Amino acid sequence: MINESALLESRSLRHSVLGRTDVLDRVKALSLLPDGMHVTTAMVAAYFEVGLEAIKSLVKDHRAELEASGYRLLTGEELRSFKDLSGFQSRTGSLALFSRRAVLNIAMLLRDSNVARQVRVYLLDMEYLARTQPVENSTPTEVLSLDDRIDQRITHILGKTVVPMFNALIETSGEHRRELIALRAGVQRIERRLRHHHARLQRLEAPLEERPLAGVMAAMDAMNSRKFEEHIATLLNRDGCTDVVVQGGPGDRGIDVIALTADGRRLVAQCKRFAPYISITSSDVQKFVGSAKVLYSADVALFVATCPFTSDALSIATDSGITAVDRALLEKWSAGEPLKVLGH
């Protein structure tokens, strides 16, 4: 499995996963310019929640790589044409544009950004799932039930209409036979790629029990709330807790899992399966403090989330004796590293 440090250091590895630009929107919504294809340096900085200089510095150090990924610096007539076609207004004499591939490339280079790290983790999780699931041949029935993000009608039309049309033309054409055969081959390649992509999406979004769980955040992101609570209960059992009960649901008063640690301390946990770009706020933690400490008199209180915590939320958690298990710590815990608070 490709690891994060190798991704940061290896240009060839970064290039091998540049096609997975969909992970950008899975981590955080990426706003585009009116042309629907590009973003500016300021927009890239805002997405990764860093200063402009951090992005400019990366461009300076990795200019050739980023240009190969779609980075462009427009000036003169090219800039004027872009403004006319896109409707984008700018008074500067130059404009740096990043394609979605270039933004993903930045995510694989930018070290000091929590958002960039989330993109890398999600990217590696998705690649891991894709690499570890066997390739299956899709039947017509399977194809019709695949993810609606790909318009299945395109595949159907290519296979059932366009290719037979080329076959008929080839049979009756003499002068352009070679060109028609080449075009038919191109259409068939596109059809195969669409079918392969359909199958890949189906593997990635298969039921959880068919996926490797340990260390794979993408699998947890695919869980519903109940499955996530059960996953946390499994981790607690693994780390020596007893009397583990999942009680999340209506009337749980903010406590999803209760248990006893290996040394007999009362433990409660709240489990939040949120998108990676959402943060746990101070008010979320304050509500949990009341339930954990007042209603349950817990010795150990875990607030487990698939997303980050705000700095205020972390401060309140520390002051109140709450253990905040954010996305990064949850990943390590799921991969086998025990939580220190559960130890003797």
Side-chain angles (χ1 to χ4, degrees):
M1 179 180 177
I2 304 172
N3 60 53
E4 188 178 353
S5 59
L7 194 62
L8 286 163
E9 300 298 334
S10 172
R11 179 174 176 175
S12 61
L13 285 179
R14 292 192 293 270
H15 178 76
S16 70
V17 294
L18 272 179
R20 295 307 308 267
T21 58
D22 57 303
V23 301
L24 294 171
D25 294 309
R26 288 175 178 261
V27 172
K28 183 179 179 182
L30 177 64
S31 299
L32 300 173
L33 288 172
D35 70 342
M37 298 173 59
H38 298 95
V39 295
T40 65
T41 306
M43 294 167 73
V44 175
Y47 177 83
F48 290 114
E49 300 175 5
V50 298
L52 279 172
E53 291 306 315
I55 305 301
K56 291 179 179 179
S57 177
L58 281 182
V59 172
K60 181 180 179 181
D61 294 340
H62 302 274
R63 181 72 175 257
E65 179 180 346
L66 290 169
E67 286 180 340
S69 301
Y71 170 81
R72 300 164 60 196
L73 183 63
L74 304 185
T75 58
E77 183 59 36
E78 192 175 18
L79 176 57
R80 286 190 290 273
S81 297
F82 177 79
K83 290 180 181 179
D84 292 340
L85 291 173
S86 68
F88 178 74
Q89 299 300 317
S90 172
R91 296 181 180 179
T92 60
S94 63
L95 178 64
L97 295 179
F98 296 76
S99 66
R100 289 176 61 87
R101 287 170 64 94
V103 176
L104 181 58
N105 209 147
I106 290 288
M108 292 186 280
L109 293 167
L110 188 59
R111 295 175 183 269
D112 299 326
S113 165
N114 187 46
V115 175
R117 184 182 182 278
Q118 290 176 34
V119 171
R120 291 193 295 271
V121 168
Y122 210 112
L123 176 66
L124 294 176
D125 287 347
M126 299 294 277
E127 282 298 304
Y128 176 70
L129 289 176
R131 291 168 185 266
T132 54
Q133 293 294 322
V135 177
E136 301 174 354
N137 293 324
S138 299
T139 65
T141 302
E142 290 170 339
V143 169
L144 291 176
S145 64
L146 295 175
D147 195 287
D148 60 10
R149 286 174 298 174
I150 299 295
D151 191 347
Q152 291 92 341
R153 289 175 299 174
I154 296 176
T155 307
H156 178 78
I157 291 171
L158 289 177
K160 300 298 183 181
T161 305
V162 178
V163 171
M165 179 186 70
F166 274 110
N167 291 339
L169 290 172
I170 291 168
E171 289 297 323
T172 59
S173 175
E175 183 179 355
H176 301 290
R177 181 179 176 85
R178 182 177 298 177
E179 291 88 342
L180 289 169
I181 291 174
L183 286 171
R184 181 183 63 182
V187 170
Q188 289 173 323
R189 281 196 300 272
I190 293 171
E191 182 190 6
R192 285 195 298 271
R193 288 177 183 175
L194 283 172
R195 291 184 182 277
H196 173 71
H197 190 57
H198 282 318
R200 189 177 186 184
L201 284 174
Q202 188 179 43
R203 293 195 303 274
L204 291 175
E205 298 179 359
L208 182 63
E209 58 270 16
E210 298 178 13
R211 303 182 182 190
L213 282 178
V216 181
M217 291 305 298
M220 267 180 276
D221 290 335
M223 296 177 184
N224 59 32
S225 296
R226 185 67 177 186
K227 285 287 188 181
F228 182 54
E229 292 163 3
E230 292 171 353
H231 175 64
I232 300 306
T234 300
L235 295 179
L236 292 171
N237 274 312
R238 184 200 70 189
D239 290 349
C241 293
T242 60
D243 298 334
V244 180
V245 177
V246 177
Q247 62 173 28
D252 62 18
R253 297 193 289 186
I255 303 300
D256 299 315
V257 183
I258 59 174
L260 294 177
T261 63
D263 56 357
R265 290 172 294 157
R266 182 187 295 269
L267 178 148
V268 299
Q270 183 169 104
C271 309
K272 292 295 185 185
R273 192 200 60 78
F274 287 166
Y277 54 83
I278 295 175
S279 294
I280 300 299
T281 65
S282 57
S283 63
D284 295 326
V285 176
Q286 287 171 358
K287 293 175 184 176
F288 178 56
V289 171
S291 295
K293 299 297 185 180
V294 178
L295 297 178
Y296 283 82
S297 301
D299 302 305
V300 178
L302 307 180
F303 198 126
V304 186
T306 57
C307 62
F309 289 66
T310 65
S311 57
D312 287 342
L314 290 173
S315 178
I316 292 173
T318 300
D319 293 343
S320 306
I322 303 297
T323 300
V325 182
D326 64 5
R327 188 177 181 87
L329 183 55
L330 177 57
E331 180 185 17
K332 294 177 182 178
W333 189 23
S334 295
E337 181 178 317
L339 291 179
K340 292 179 181 180
V341 72
L342 300 181
H344 293 272

